[in-house]
Amino acid sequence: MLTIKEIAERANVSRTTVSRVINNSGSVSEEARRRVLKVIEETGYVPSENAKSLRTKKTKVIGVILPKISTETSSRLVKGLDDIFAKEGYQILLANTNLNPEKEIEYLRLLKSRHVDGIILSATNINRPLVEEIYQLKIPFVTVGQYITGLANVLFDDYQASKDMVNLLIKNGYKNIAFIGVSEKDRSVGHLRKIGYMDAMKDHHLPVEESWIQKGIFNVDSGYECMKPIMEDSKIKPDAVLAVTDRLAIGALQYIKEKGLSIPDDIAVAGMGASELSKYISPALTTIDFSMEDAGREAASLLLEQINGENYQETIRMIKYRFMEGSSI
Amino acid sequence: MLTIKEIAERANVSRTTVSRVINNSGSVSEEARRRVLKVIEETGYVPSENAKSLRTKKTKVIGVILPKISTETSSRLVKGLDDIFAKEGYQILLANTNLNPEKEIEYLRLLKSRHVDGIILSATNINRPLVEEIYQLKIPFVTVGQYITGLANVLFDDYQASKDMVNLLIKNGYKNIAFIGVSEKDRSVGHLRKIGYMDAMKDHHLPVEESWIQKGIFNVDSGYECMKPIMEDSKIKPDAVLAVTDRLAIGALQYIKEKGLSIPDDIAVAGMGASELSKYISPALTTIDFSMEDAGREAASLLLEQINGENYQETIRMIKYRFMEGSSI
DNA sequence: TTTTTGTAGGGAATCGATTCCATAAATAAT
DNA sequence: ATTATTTATGGAATCGATTCCCTACAAAAA
């Protein structure tokens, strides 16, 4: 490995001068600058970021903690993050927790030890020890999708989105609306979207049967499975169903189609998340686009503000969602 | 920031001893070890990876260069990589070229300056300057999806897969088979899959009309657009079409459905890539699964072999593909 | 009792940059 | 002509770890 010392010797100057040339700082004669640049060119020398970081305390690396690495949501978020960070010369160091909560804390420490300039956390469930760890981290930090007091948050209005979707269904004449959710430990997707549904139903004085509300996990099969009890165990058969993710909705849709029922005439289906799938299945799924890329860009910008020492108080940035009309309702 | 020096002082030992405790090396009395561990526990000290790397020349970071960050292909590849790397304590540093070839070289240099322990490259087109840059890199290196002489390669048999798919179509009675490809600058997806198609047709003495062969880009709309000339300009209307990606196939499928034709009775459609979409559209797309996750795991393992000094010669690992039967042919 | 061996632990060099401070030379101001 | 500035440069400390080498002491072997 070529070092600054060698470059200095070959160019017949001191390391100091080489450093000045590289960083364009201090003053260097044209003569010396040319010599140094020539040697760098010839040798293909690249300064060690590592050594540099040790001294300057800046790494130009951002740690990104994700619950799952290969989901559409994650990859869009990362895309948005990278849009902004790349422009400013930052790179992304991935940390994939695979939904394992202990890994979150572990990675938080690891990222700290690596001296990342900032951390983006996209968590699914937020627990006490995690929050405590974050508080004592003292690194620029932004959380996406789940609210944490006192920090910079990029959030989706899960409650309102869910409520809006139910309202839309009601407006379209549906009354008996079933709901496929996920574990309420996931506050945003599990809890908030559920109470959004409940409140919308209550607001319109629409009764809800117990068997209308099912709980699944984040995949298509689970949506299919959840649809069974909704159809089989209900006294009043629902005329619509809202699923908290598109995958769940697509599973539901498959079950309904399999039973020979027509969508949306016999039963309407709505999803949330605007996965790419939703556009291409038939009928196209009516869903809500949460603009994960926007969220990523917003989160990146917030983090950069902190890194540049501009904004350290609690911040909440709500990302706008929009309806994606399909033909499933 | 807490340093090893402070821990040493508080535990009343030298930095050397603290280092020995952390790394379990050398010999340390139980007494001293306990004191050091206690202080570390109390203070929440985490050693600086940065300083450590400077000395040890190991970063436990792998650079991953991707042509596009939020595609299904990339995210599955990354998932596979992370499966293996995480287990061995390596983290992934992302470098997204956004299909810009200059960025590939730029990131190669950047990753080198960051002293990553290895690099995975998933490129779309390989050019001279890029290859030269790689050769003089002297860092463990694996390329995925495109062949580079003398290096470790994880490849897909694009030629054979394409040929097999055409053969399957022919076996099913189709004779007039159209082809939607992409730029041949992309050797694997553009060139190899095309000649696979051509050779299969030639082998069966099936003529190919010029307008049957169209070139698109990597998205659904483009597949739709490519289907137009195939249907409109051909003297003999094809009874089947092979697209080199699922997205192109789905675009084609949309066009066909829009024209009121039935799939596969009027015209069969085959894709390649086994995107998640392919399973859920109707009719389900017959396609080829290239197992990107396997490729990722394979690439990671190859890279680890190099890092551990075991394997530095040219290596080619062919990833097995398999047919995913839908109902589109 | 003397010599050997082994264990525990510290001092200081090292990794490859940046940066503070000092100095010399060149130029400008008085 | 003398002093004050400015410009160019280098020496050496520093960042926070690891690791080589040395010493002190205790236990085992002779």
Side-chain angles (χ1 to χ4, degrees), chain B residues 9 18 23 66 109 112 154 207 213-214 279 308 317 328:
Chain B
E9 281 163 10
V18 176
N23 300 292
L66 301 171
R109 297 221 177 105
K112 179 174 187 172
V154 172
I213 299 182
Q214 296 296 327
K279 276 189 293 197
N308 301 327
R317 288 270 211 288
S328 67

Side-chain angles (χ1 to χ4, degrees), chain A residues 172-309:
Chain A
N172 286 17
Y174 302 101
K175 288 205 164 63
N176 304 319
I177 305 172
F179 177 84
I180 302 177
V182 296
S183 161
E184 300 208 32
K185 279 195 194 140
D186 184 327
R187 196 177 145 73
S188 299
V189 180
H191 180 66
L192 293 176
R193 294 187 191 178
K194 180 172 174 182
I195 62 171
Y197 158 79
M198 303 280 266
D199 286 359
M201 293 300 274
K202 202 188 295 166
D203 288 355
H204 292 83
H205 309 292
L206 292 171
V208 171
E209 244 187 72
E210 202 183 317
S211 61
W212 290 0
I213 299 180
Q214 296 295 327
K215 196 171 291 173
I217 56 172
F218 291 86
N219 65 38
V220 174
D221 287 348
S222 175
Y224 183 95
E225 291 304 325
C226 286
M227 205 57 208
K228 269 188 205 162
I230 291 178
M231 297 300 279
E232 289 169 7
D233 303 350
S234 305
K235 287 206 211 71
I236 301 175
K237 301 282 174 254
D239 53 12
V241 56
L242 166 62
V244 294
T245 77
D246 277 6
R247 261 144 241 270
L248 287 168
I250 289 167
L253 206 132
Q254 284 188 322
Y255 179 88
I256 296 167
K257 290 208 290 196
E258 238 172 57
K259 291 289 158 192
L261 297 172
S262 125
I263 299 168
D265 296 336
D266 295 322
I267 185 161
V269 179
M272 301 184 83
S275 71
E276 216 195 347
L277 273 174
S278 66
K279 277 188 291 198
Y280 299 111
I281 51 158
S282 61
L285 187 66
T286 295
T287 181
I288 284 181
D289 182 3
F290 282 110
S291 323
M292 291 308 296
E293 285 193 28
D294 285 352
R297 282 187 285 264
E298 193 63 48
S301 307
L302 273 179
L303 196 68
L304 287 175
E305 280 180 25
Q306 283 182 44
I307 290 173
N308 301 326

Side-chain angles (χ1 to χ4, degrees), chain B residues 3-4 19 23 45 47-48 55:
Chain B
T3 74
I4 199 175
S19 175
N23 300 292
Y45 161 76
S48 156
R55 188 74 234 260

Side-chain angles (χ1 to χ4, degrees), chain B residues 254-297:
Chain B
Q254 283 188 323
Y255 179 88
I256 296 166
K257 289 208 294 195
E258 240 172 55
K259 291 289 160 193
L261 298 172
S262 129
I263 299 168
D265 295 336
D266 295 322
I267 184 161
V269 179
M272 301 185 83
S275 70
E276 215 195 349
L277 273 173
S278 67
K279 276 189 293 197
Y280 298 112
I281 51 158
S282 60
L285 188 66
T286 294
T287 181
I288 285 181
D289 182 3
F290 282 110
S291 323
M292 291 307 297
E293 284 193 28
D294 285 351
R297 281 187 286 264

Side-chain angles (χ1 to χ4, degrees), chain B residues 10 44 46 72 79 94 145 173 227 281 289 296:
Chain B
R10 296 209 201 191
V46 247
E72 226 175 312
K79 165 74 164 60
L94 281 188
M227 205 57 208
I281 51 158
D289 182 3

Side-chain angles (χ1 to χ4, degrees), chain A residues 137-202:
Chain A
L137 212 50
K138 280 166 191 146
I139 296 180
F141 193 97
V142 175
T143 161
V144 178
Q146 306 271 350
Y147 172 72
I148 303 179
T149 322
L151 301 178
N153 295 268
V154 171
L155 299 175
F156 310 99
D157 196 341
D158 293 278
Y159 172 80
Q160 195 58 47
S162 171
K163 202 167 176 179
D164 279 359
M165 185 57 102
V166 175
N167 286 336
L168 176 67
L169 285 165
I170 294 172
K171 212 180 84 191
N172 286 17
Y174 302 101
K175 288 205 164 63
N176 304 319
I177 305 172
F179 177 84
I180 302 177
V182 296
S183 161
E184 300 208 32
K185 279 195 194 140
D186 184 327
R187 196 177 145 73
S188 299
V189 180
H191 180 66
L192 293 176
R193 294 187 191 178
K194 180 172 174 182
I195 62 171
Y197 158 79
M198 303 280 266
D199 286 359
M201 293 300 274
K202 202 188 295 166

